Amino acid sequence: SAFDTQPFTVQVTGTANGDDAVLTLSAGNQFDNNPNLWLRLAGSRLVAMYAERNPNLTLDRSGHLVFHRVGTTDIDQTWAAAFSDDFGAGGAFAARDRTASMTLAAAGDGALSGLGAYVEQRPGDVVQVLDFDVIQGYLSGTQTELRFGNFNPASGEADWFGYHSGSVIVAAYGQFNNSNQLVRFGHATWYDAGDPDPSDFERQWVTSFSDARGASNFVADYLMVMSGVSVSGNAVTGTVRVLDESEPSPAFASYTIENGTIVGNELVMDAVRSGRRFSWNLRLAGPVLVGSYQQFNSNDQFVSSGVAEWRFGPTSSLGGTYAASYFDGSTTSGSENRASQLAIITIGNVANDGTFTGTGSVRLAGEQNRRQFAITGIAGSDNRIEIAWSGADLFGDTVWNLRKAGTYLFGTYTNFASNNQTVEFQGSATFLRGSS
């Protein structure tokens, strides 16, 4: 973790059943209570949720994650990521959302060096670019450690620790001020950015995400589709369709790409509708477009900021089993807290009229048992997918708006109280398709 000066070894015990596994982690006195980890195999990755409970079974902490399969290592590349600070001490070290890139070089002894840049979203202000050097680093097998320093403008050094496999680096970081106090921490997945051609941007991109922070602490959840992307020279045009889950009747609205430019793997653009806009700074990294944004209203006032990962792929062949781990984006409930969740859904064949049925289960971090439910849904001619989870275990329905991109299902949801009228929770999630 960001508070540890050295990594520690974890012992793992557990059981597996088909594509599912339940693990218990132990590491001497590193954990207050040994956490449990629930996993679901989805292709080459493991979708997971963890929970740490005290002896009275009260939840102390929880979270969600995706494991990548270990493969070959070739770290001498340019890497891109988009991430939000999980904690910021405020002032000069307030929590920020950023797009980042770095180029690494490995020496024969495993030492790493390089350089990079952050593009930080500053709420209601222009973005700030911070260049940095990788002043210390090593690669040992798949284990990676990096120290970012010599920031310009000046900022505290950031220590990263993670694992490298193939085209990804998964890592956590802590940033420290001049007094060596921890002032920020978080985590990110870095993707191999390669050397893209301008035509590689000309895809139909899909994403879903939740605001990391918002004006007056109001945050919302979004499903977006970027289409008709055209590159001429370094100018980019196209359309972004935006579904805002916080609206009374969520529906797609069309935004126009303005001020779109590309330089190398960087895409900067505004998605604009009636003066309202999302201002994006993005990096292309193979099959994924990572980026951070600020949203402004028609009076040019700050609304929200955050990060997202966009993907492309076929929208056909919906039927199958999918898994997602996620955390509620917001709640209106005065008696229940937002929760980490692991959901598994199986969608049957889609009929000629677009309707389908299925089954699913969801495990909440604070509960001992899974909640099971039935699925009804429709796949529209515009490739929008609407499904409802219903059943006695759920009390009220959970209604999803989704869009498929290859093996991914991107979506936003609203969870209702038992009257199916009162909104209790909203959020976003990315489902990964399994082998069946």
Side-chain angles (χ1 to χ4, degrees), residues 302-362:
F302 172 77
V303 175
S304 64
S305 64
V307 299
E309 294 186 0
W310 304 68
R311 300 220 175 227
F312 67 89
T315 60
S316 57
S317 303
L318 177 61
T321 299
Y322 300 81
S325 56
Y326 55 94
F327 186 71
D328 292 318
S330 61
T331 180
T332 60
S333 174
S335 58
E336 296 183 71
N337 295 322
R338 295 181 297 159
S340 299
Q341 301 169 56
L342 174 63
I344 301 166
I345 60 173
T346 298
I347 295 173
N349 293 329
V350 180
N352 291 335
D353 63 357
T355 59
F356 57 86
T357 58
T359 58
S361 65
V362 61

Side-chain angles (χ1 to χ4, degrees), residues 206-237:
V206 183
T207 188
S208 60
F209 58 92
S210 302
D211 291 323
R213 58 205 91 252
S216 302
N217 294 320
F218 176 81
V219 294
D221 313 285
Y222 307 94
L223 175 62
M224 293 190 183
V225 180
M226 189 190 321
S227 59
V229 179
S230 178
V231 179
S232 177
N234 70 336
V236 178
T237 57

Side-chain angles (χ1 to χ4, degrees), residues 81-101:
F83 57 95
S84 299
D85 294 320
D86 294 323
F87 165 79
F93 296 103
R96 294 281 189 251
D97 313 296
R98 60 183 64 83
T99 310
S101 62

Side-chain angles (χ1 to χ4, degrees), residues 166-237:
S167 60
V168 298
I169 300 171
V170 291
Y173 65 89
Q175 186 172 11
F176 301 84
N177 63 16
N178 291 336
S179 301
N180 205 33
Q181 296 171 314
L182 181 65
V183 290
R184 283 180 177 144
F185 60 75
H187 65 280
T189 300
W190 295 80
Y191 295 94
D192 182 355
D195 185 18
D197 186 86
S199 63
D200 293 334
F201 288 89
E202 296 177 322
R203 312 278 191 181
Q204 180 168 270
W205 299 93
V206 183
T207 188
S208 60
F209 58 92
S210 302
D211 291 323
R213 58 205 91 252
S216 302
N217 294 320
F218 176 81
V219 294
D221 313 285
Y222 307 94
L223 175 62
M224 293 190 183
V225 180
M226 189 190 321
S227 59
V229 179
S230 178
V231 179
S232 177
N234 70 336
V236 178
T237 57

Side-chain angles (χ1 to χ4, degrees), residues 209-400:
F209 58 92
S210 302
D211 291 323
R213 58 205 91 252
S216 302
N217 294 320
F218 176 81
V219 294
D221 313 285
Y222 307 94
L223 175 62
M224 293 190 183
V225 180
M226 189 190 321
S227 59
V229 179
S230 178
V231 179
S232 177
N234 70 336
V236 178
T237 57
T239 301
V240 180
R241 299 175 64 220
V242 178
L243 184 147
D244 182 345
E245 188 68 29
S246 68
E247 295 289 339
S249 299
F252 280 109
S254 291
Y255 286 62
T256 301
I257 294 177
E258 297 181 3
N259 307 314
T261 58
I262 59 169
V263 177
N265 72 336
E266 181 182 25
L267 167 59
V268 177
M269 69 178 197
D270 295 325
V272 181
R273 176 184 173 87
S274 301
R276 191 181 187 95
R277 77 181 191 276
F278 289 84
S279 293
W280 287 91
N281 185 283
L282 300 142
R283 296 289 188 280
L284 180 60
V288 60
L289 193 61
V290 297
S292 58
Y293 68 90
Q294 285 193 71
Q295 182 185 180
F296 298 88
N297 63 21
S298 57
N299 294 320
D300 207 34
Q301 296 169 321
F302 172 77
V303 175
S304 64
S305 64
V307 299
E309 294 186 0
W310 304 68
R311 300 220 175 227
F312 67 89
T315 60
S316 57
S317 303
L318 177 61
T321 299
Y322 300 81
S325 56
Y326 55 94
F327 186 71
D328 292 318
S330 61
T331 180
T332 60
S333 174
S335 58
E336 296 183 71
N337 295 322
R338 295 181 297 159
S340 299
Q341 301 169 56
L342 174 63
I344 301 166
I345 60 173
T346 298
I347 295 173
N349 293 329
V350 180
N352 291 335
D353 63 357
T355 59
F356 57 86
T357 58
T359 58
S361 65
V362 61
R363 183 185 298 276
L364 277 64
E367 298 181 351
Q368 294 293 306
N369 299 313
R370 296 179 300 167
R371 300 186 184 193
Q372 300 188 53
F373 52 83
I375 292 173
T376 56
I378 185 167
S381 58
D382 61 353
N383 294 316
R384 175 183 175 182
I385 302 161
E386 300 173 75
I387 67 174
W389 299 353
S390 59
D393 287 355
L394 296 186
F395 305 107
D397 290 353
T398 300
V399 178
W400 288 81

